[in-house]
Amino acid sequence: YGSSSRFFTSYLAYRIAKRNNCALYIDVRDIFSETIRDISQNPAFRLLISPFIAQLEKRVYHYATHVNLISKGFKSSFINYPGTSFSYYSHGADPMFINTVTENAWNNKNKLKKILYAGNIGEGQGLHKIIPEAAKRLQGSFEFEIIGDGGAIEKLKVALERKNVSNVRVSKPIKREQLIEKYIHSDILFIHLNDYEIFKKVLPSKIFELAVTGKPILAGVRGYSSEFLQQHVPQSYIFDPGDVNGLMNMVTNIEQEKNDSHSGHSIRFAENFNRKKINKEMAKSITELI
């Protein structure tokens, strides 16, 4: 068994399986070659490293007995593996976050309503392309709280300074117990992916964490993430990545529907996508190969 959250972990599993002539179960959480191709600013990585990694990936997946795709959006990248069986066990909701479901999503009684983002602040999230302008236009009615760290945090801080906004607070990552409290005392939960082709295929684990809270989710996503939210998370308000006008329209919709309760939907989501349940089903599929 190997997971491709880091590609060379799955490649190592492939080499060991091949050497021992045994079955191989690969869990695909990221398509590394496509991520490099779409995100890297280095031409050498895009033109040389990405194709090289893609060839190694093909060896792994052609040899694999079974491949689990954590996102159904990845299916289009796996059409040329006729001898491999596939499953689609996704991320799940962690039990410690399931208890954050609230009856009243619009809890903040202060003048400024809070939009919370908690997670990685990297090029993949593209927060520097959306939050500064959105915060400027929402000044006086909303504040943003950004919790996290990553390779694009300086880009975000510079963009905020240029816009001269006073309603954005950026802080370091916190413990999960503290994060739950932040979710409870926020009005809107925010998720955003940069407008790259690979991100039309992914399904971020953060979606599962946010969906069980009952809070409105303001989501700048495309592709399979958008499809999943529309199908399973009624309290999601979706706009195109980087589209500030779209974000503003969704905030207006959230305000108009602020008294609607989504706790019932959140409870059903938690039941359907409980991480323990998904892990048990996946473990069963692994043992069936033995």
Side-chain angles (χ1 to χ4, degrees):
Y1 171 88
S3 172
S4 76
S5 55
R6 295 289 183 271
F7 167 68
F8 283 102
T9 305
S10 61
Y11 185 72
L12 176 61
Y14 152 71
R15 292 297 298 269
I16 295 171
K18 187 175 181 181
R19 185 181 66 188
N20 291 281
N21 193 31
C22 64
L24 176 64
Y25 190 113
I26 293 294
D27 181 35
V28 176
R29 294 170 176 262
D30 182 31
I31 303 176
F32 192 46
S33 62
E34 294 185 14
T35 302
I36 292 176
R37 182 193 65 203
D38 291 349
I39 294 180
S40 178
Q41 304 298 313
N42 187 326
F45 275 82
R46 293 200 307 271
L47 300 176
L48 299 175
I49 303 299
S50 175
F52 174 71
I53 296 294
Q55 290 303 313
L56 296 182
E57 287 174 334
K58 287 180 181 178
R59 293 185 195 176
V60 174
Y61 303 138
H62 273 298
Y63 181 87
T65 314
H66 184 88
V67 173
N68 179 66
L69 303 179
I70 204 152
S71 167
K72 289 184 178 179
F74 290 152
K75 285 196 295 186
S76 61
S77 298
F78 288 85
I79 57 176
N80 295 319
Y81 299 94
T84 305
S85 63
F86 291 89
S87 58
Y88 303 95
Y89 297 109
S90 68
H91 296 289
D94 193 303
M96 76 178 299
F97 288 103
I98 289 174
N99 295 327
T100 64
V101 174
T102 56
E103 287 296 328
N104 182 8
W106 198 264
N107 285 333
N108 198 328
K109 304 302 181 184
N110 297 326
K111 179 182 177 182
L112 288 179
K113 304 300 180 184
K114 182 182 291 186
I115 301 174
L116 174 69
Y117 174 85
N120 191 45
I121 306 174
E123 192 64 36
Q125 290 71 42
L127 300 186
H128 54 285
K129 295 182 177 181
I130 187 75
I131 286 181
E133 177 63 23
K136 189 73 174 178
R137 292 168 65 171
L138 289 169
Q139 227 163 229
S141 55
F142 281 87
E143 64 178 353
F144 281 83
E145 182 170 8
I146 313 298
I147 301 173
D149 206 348
I153 192 168
E154 290 304 318
K155 286 185 178 182
L156 174 61
K157 290 179 177 179
V158 168
L160 291 171
E161 288 178 6
R162 286 176 179 168
K163 286 292 181 182
N164 193 29
V165 295
S166 59
N167 58 333
V168 179
R169 185 167 77 247
V170 181
S171 57
K172 293 290 185 180
I174 58 178
K175 293 181 179 180
R176 301 174 87 194
E177 294 78 8
Q178 295 172 295
L179 182 56
I180 289 172
E181 287 297 312
K182 291 289 187 180
Y183 286 158
I184 291 172
H185 294 101
S186 297
D187 299 292
I188 299 173
L189 304 179
F190 184 71
I191 186 170
H192 188 266
L193 294 176
N194 217 333
D195 195 15
Y196 294 130
E197 193 66 28
I198 184 60
F199 293 143
K200 294 179 182 179
K201 300 180 180 182
V202 303
L203 182 62
S205 60
K206 180 63 67 172
I207 285 176
F208 295 81
E209 190 173 299
L210 304 185
V212 296
T213 65
K215 301 284 185 176
I217 298 173
L218 186 60
V221 296
R222 279 183 174 163
Y224 184 66
S225 291
S226 175
E227 293 174 21
F228 183 88
L229 286 168
Q230 291 178 66
Q231 182 177 356
H232 299 289
V233 189
Q235 74 270 27
S236 55
Y237 297 80
I238 303 166
F239 62 96
D240 287 338
D243 180 6
V244 178
N245 290 330
L247 180 151
M248 296 297 294
N249 290 336
M250 291 300 103
V251 170
T252 299
N253 291 347
I254 292 172
E255 288 188 286
Q256 291 173 348
E257 301 170 12
K258 63 185 179 183
N259 294 320
D260 293 353
S261 174
H262 294 286
S263 60
H265 295 298
S266 300
I267 291 170
R268 284 192 291 275
F269 183 91
E271 291 172 348
N272 293 333
F273 293 98
N274 186 298
R275 181 177 291 173
K276 286 186 176 180
K277 175 184 174 183
I278 292 172
N279 286 348
K280 285 181 179 179
E281 292 174 352
M282 187 173 179
K284 183 180 178 182
S285 77
I286 294 172
T287 58
E288 285 174 351
L289 294 179
I290 298 174

